[in-house]
Structure formats: structure tokens, C-alpha cells
């Protein structure tokens, strides 16, 4: 299900149902929205006089992210000029402050899909910038086998490498030769 922002009409429905003392669960069923969406709406957008739909709509619009589609064209002209001077999107975002580097990358790759050549102004013309907020892959072991599926020879501890640290310490206290054999 694709997420869409609440409309002003939906906010008026929330207001009317809330004034009629209906629960959030009932409002969720009426508007076919997630319960977290409705409860977040009521929590974030209330004024001193309680929840008011017009005030809620105004504050929600003010809070929306400044993305690549809402940035004015003269800012994009400035960004394009800096890209042609071989500035990176991170440098541009650092100097301007009103635009993020991700918005610049989104703009560049959208332009490339439409047949434009702005992507060639990037220093590194490889694959698109990968956002690292999703699946973290660092520190993972490929083809990892669970400890529960290890072979029986490991349970027997007949080889030196199969001994874990607690067994090493226990045997090193009782017998110097076992500890010496395990540590070597």
C-alpha cells in the first residue's frame, strides 16, 4: 500500500469523529488508514484548543520535507552551475544548506532517465549513489552455518581448534599440559 499524506477532507473527518467521541480504532476503520497514522496525526497536530483540522493541515504542510520537486528553479540553476565546476553534491549541499545531497542525486538520476546529461558532471560516473539507510551488509558472514548445525566432530572436541574459551580456562587450571596443548 502506497503511503499518501492526509488530505484536508480526511482531517475534517478525523475532527468530526473525534468530537463525536469515537475511538481511534473506529476512525481507522472509517478512513481506511493505519492506526499509527491517526494517532500520530492527533498527537502532532493539536493546538491549544485541541485538534483543529485547518491548523493541523497548515502545520503538517510546513513540516513536509524540502525535496527535489519543491526546490525553486533558480536554486537548481545554481546547483547545475556548481556541478559543471566539478563540485560534488555533498559540497553543494554543505555550502547551500537549503538542499540535501540526496535531493541533488535524485534530481541527477531522474534527469538521466529522461535522457539528460547532468549525470556526466559527477566526478564518479558509476552506478547511482547508494543510500546506506537500508539493509546493512557490513559485518555479515557469507554462507554462515548456524552453531546448531555444526558437525558431531566439533562436539567431541577431539581437535584443538574446537575447544572454546571456557573449556580452555577450566582445563588450564587443572592441568598445565592440557592448557599448553590447547593454547598452542
Amino acid at each position: 500500500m502506497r503511503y499518501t499524506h492526509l488530505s484536508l477532507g480526511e482531517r475534517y473527518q478525523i475532527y468530526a469523529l473525534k468530537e463525536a467521541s469515537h475511538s481511534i480504532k473506529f476512525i481507522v476503520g472509517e478512513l481506511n488508514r493505519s492506526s499509527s497514522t491517526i494517532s500520530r496525526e492527533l498527537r502532532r497536530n493539536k493546538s491549544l484548543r485541541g485538534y483543529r483540522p485547518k491548523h493541523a493541515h497548515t502545520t503538517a504542510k510546513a513540516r513536509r520535507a524540502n525535496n527535489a520537486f519543491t526546490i525553486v528553479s533558480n536554486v537548481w540553476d545554481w546547483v547545475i552551475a556548481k556541478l559543471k565546476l566539478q563540485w560534488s553534491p555533498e559540497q553543494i549541499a554543505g555550502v547551500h544548506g537549503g538542499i540535501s545531497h540526496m535531493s541533488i542525486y535524485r534530481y541527477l538520476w531522474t534527469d538521466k532517465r529522461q535522457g539528460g546529461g547532468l549525470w556526466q558532471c559527477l566526478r564518479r560516473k558509476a552506478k547511482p549513489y547508494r543510500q546506506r539507510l537500508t539493509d546493512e551488509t557490513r559485518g555479515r558472514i557469507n554462507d554462515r552455518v548456524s552453531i546448531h548445525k555444526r558437525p558431531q566432530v566439533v562436539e567431541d572436541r577431539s581437535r584443538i581448534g574446537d575447544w572454546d574459551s571456557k573449556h580452555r580456562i577450566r582445563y588450564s587450571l587443572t592441568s598445565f599440559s592440557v592448557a599448553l596443548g590447547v593454547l598452542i
Side-chain angles (χ1 to χ4, degrees):
M1 178 188 217
R2 184 172 161 81
Y3 172 77
T4 56
H5 294 284
L6 289 171
S7 66
L8 184 59
E10 287 175 316
R11 288 189 169 97
Y12 273 107
Q13 286 179 327
I14 291 171
Y15 173 72
L17 293 170
K18 196 69 180 156
E19 286 295 309
S21 300
H22 289 290
S23 67
I24 291 178
K25 192 172 184 179
F26 181 80
I27 297 171
V28 165
E30 288 295 311
L31 295 179
N32 195 21
R33 291 287 192 153
S34 169
S35 60
S36 62
T37 302
I38 302 300
S39 62
R40 191 180 307 119
E41 172 71 15
L42 292 170
R43 185 180 68 245
R44 283 184 181 171
N45 297 321
K46 62 182 173 186
S47 65
L48 295 174
R49 299 185 309 163
Y51 183 79
R52 300 281 183 231
K54 194 168 187 178
H55 171 76
H57 194 67
T58 306
T59 55
K61 280 176 62 176
R63 229 184 359 255
R64 283 189 187 163
N66 186 15
N67 59 25
F69 302 108
T70 60
I71 298 171
V72 292
S73 62
N74 61 352
V75 173
W76 281 123
D77 294 339
W78 181 82
V79 168
I80 291 168
K82 296 302 178 189
L83 283 170
K84 288 181 179 176
L85 293 173
Q86 295 296 307
W87 282 33
S88 71
E90 288 82 5
Q91 287 175 316
I92 296 169
V95 170
H96 190 273
I99 187 171
S100 74
H101 68 283
M102 287 305 298
S103 294
I104 297 171
Y105 279 114
R106 255 195 320 269
Y107 184 81
L108 289 173
W109 297 116
T110 304
D111 180 64
K112 182 181 179 183
R113 279 193 303 272
Q114 294 171 351
L118 282 178
W119 66 277
Q120 294 176 336
C121 296
L122 290 174
R123 296 177 190 169
R124 189 169 184 279
K125 298 168 190 67
K127 60 184 178 180
Y129 182 82
R130 182 174 65 95
Q131 189 175 9
R132 287 183 174 83
L133 298 177
T134 56
D135 297 333
E136 185 64 42
T137 57
R138 293 178 288 181
R140 290 193 183 162
I141 300 172
N142 293 335
D143 302 325
R144 184 176 66 104
V145 178
S146 172
I147 193 168
H148 303 292
K149 295 180 181 175
R150 61 185 178 183
Q152 183 61 34
V153 70
V154 176
E155 288 296 326
D156 296 338
R157 291 185 177 82
S158 59
R159 301 178 300 185
I160 291 175
D162 297 331
W163 289 70
D164 56 359
S165 61
K166 68 179 182 183
H167 289 96
R168 279 187 235 153
I169 294 169
R170 185 173 63 202
Y171 283 109
S172 67
L173 294 176
T174 59
S175 172
F176 180 76
S177 63
V178 172
L180 188 61
V182 170
L183 293 176
I184 294 176

